[in-house]
Every structure is written in structure tokens, then in C-alpha cells.
Amino acid sequence: MMKKMMALGAAMVIVLAMSGCSSLQTATPNDFNGQKTVPVGTSVGHVSATNCGLYLLWIPLITGSSENIGSPAFLQDMVNTRSLAGMVTKKSKEMQASKVLDLTTQNASGGFIFYWRTSYASGNAVK
């Protein structure tokens, strides 16, 4: 019985450790190999955001924080288009861009009662 409880506890620790991730990455015009990435304006860079989390039915258990990138958020639904678009536009503004072109988002999920949800967003930061 004790071994089963320890195995269950270890499994829960692993699930929690792998849950709730958010990341934000950028590429600058130096990374574009001399290619133009926007039809108008001056490109400041490309911004890509990812967020994922573990849900029980529709209740978010642990997700990545869209406000504190790289930190977990408990019982907060941050794996959605609204949060990811906010991450991309906030970073774009920090890069001194005045607009974001070609903002795209994608959402995916898998599971049944417990399920994993992932959202992606990216856009070109432009002056």
C-alpha cells in the first residue's frame, strides 16, 4: 500500500512539473537573412508565444502564466487566444513597434476528463 501511495505521489509531482508552461521568443531583422518580412513599414522583429496547461473538465488546474512568462498559474485560464494575443502585442510594444502584422493564433487540446490544452500565437512587429 505504501509503495502505491509513493508511486501515485511521484506521478502527481511529474504531472505538475510538466504542466503550466509559457514561453515567448523573438527574432530580430538580423535573423531574417536579408529578407523583407512585411510589405509596409519597418520590421522590428517577429514575436512567437506559446502557453499550455492541464485542465479538469473545463477547470484550469495549472497553466503557464501569460503575465509572468515562464511561471505557472494555478486555477487561471490563460491558455486561450486572448491571453496569447496579449503576450505578442505587449512584447511588440516593448520592442518599440507601433503595430503587429499577420497576428495568428492556434489552439489544440487532447484528453477527456483531464486534458492538456496548448495555444500558440505569432506576429510581425512593425514600426
Side-chain angles (χ1 to χ4, degrees), residues 16 19-22 51-55 59-66 68 70-80 83 116-117:
L16 287 175
S19 299
C21 54
S22 60
N51 202 348
C52 52
L54 181 66
Y55 288 72
I59 303 165
L61 299 177
I62 181 171
T63 65
S65 174
S66 60
N68 297 314
S71 300
F74 298 94
L75 303 175
Q76 296 179 40
D77 185 13
M78 295 193 169
V79 184
N80 55 56
S83 293
W116 185 257
R117 185 188 292 177

Side-chain angles (χ1 to χ4, degrees), residues 9-122:
M12 292 191 67
V13 167
I14 290 170
V15 166
L16 287 175
M18 294 176 63
S19 299
C21 54
S22 60
S23 67
L24 188 67
Q25 297 180 345
T26 60
T28 65
N30 294 335
D31 301 318
F32 299 158
N33 296 308
Q35 297 291 306
K36 195 170 181 181
T37 59
V38 294
V40 295
T42 303
S43 179
V44 175
H46 181 79
V47 182
S48 177
T50 304
N51 202 348
C52 52
L54 181 66
Y55 288 72
L56 171 62
L57 298 173
W58 64 92
I59 303 165
L61 299 177
I62 181 171
T63 65
S65 174
S66 60
E67 296 162 3
N68 297 314
I69 310 301
S71 300
F74 298 94
L75 303 175
Q76 296 179 40
D77 185 13
M78 295 193 169
V79 184
N80 55 56
T81 298
R82 183 184 74 249
S83 293
L84 273 286
M87 289 169 68
V88 170
T89 54
K90 181 179 178 182
K91 184 62 177 180
S92 174
K93 197 172 205 178
E94 289 173 5
M95 296 170 74
Q96 307 299 314
S98 60
K99 57 187 159 192
V100 174
L101 298 180
D102 302 322
L103 178 63
T104 61
T105 60
Q106 181 180 4
N107 301 298
S109 62
F112 184 58
I113 294 174
F114 284 96
Y115 68 98
W116 185 257
R117 185 188 292 177
T118 305
S119 290
Y120 309 95
S122 66

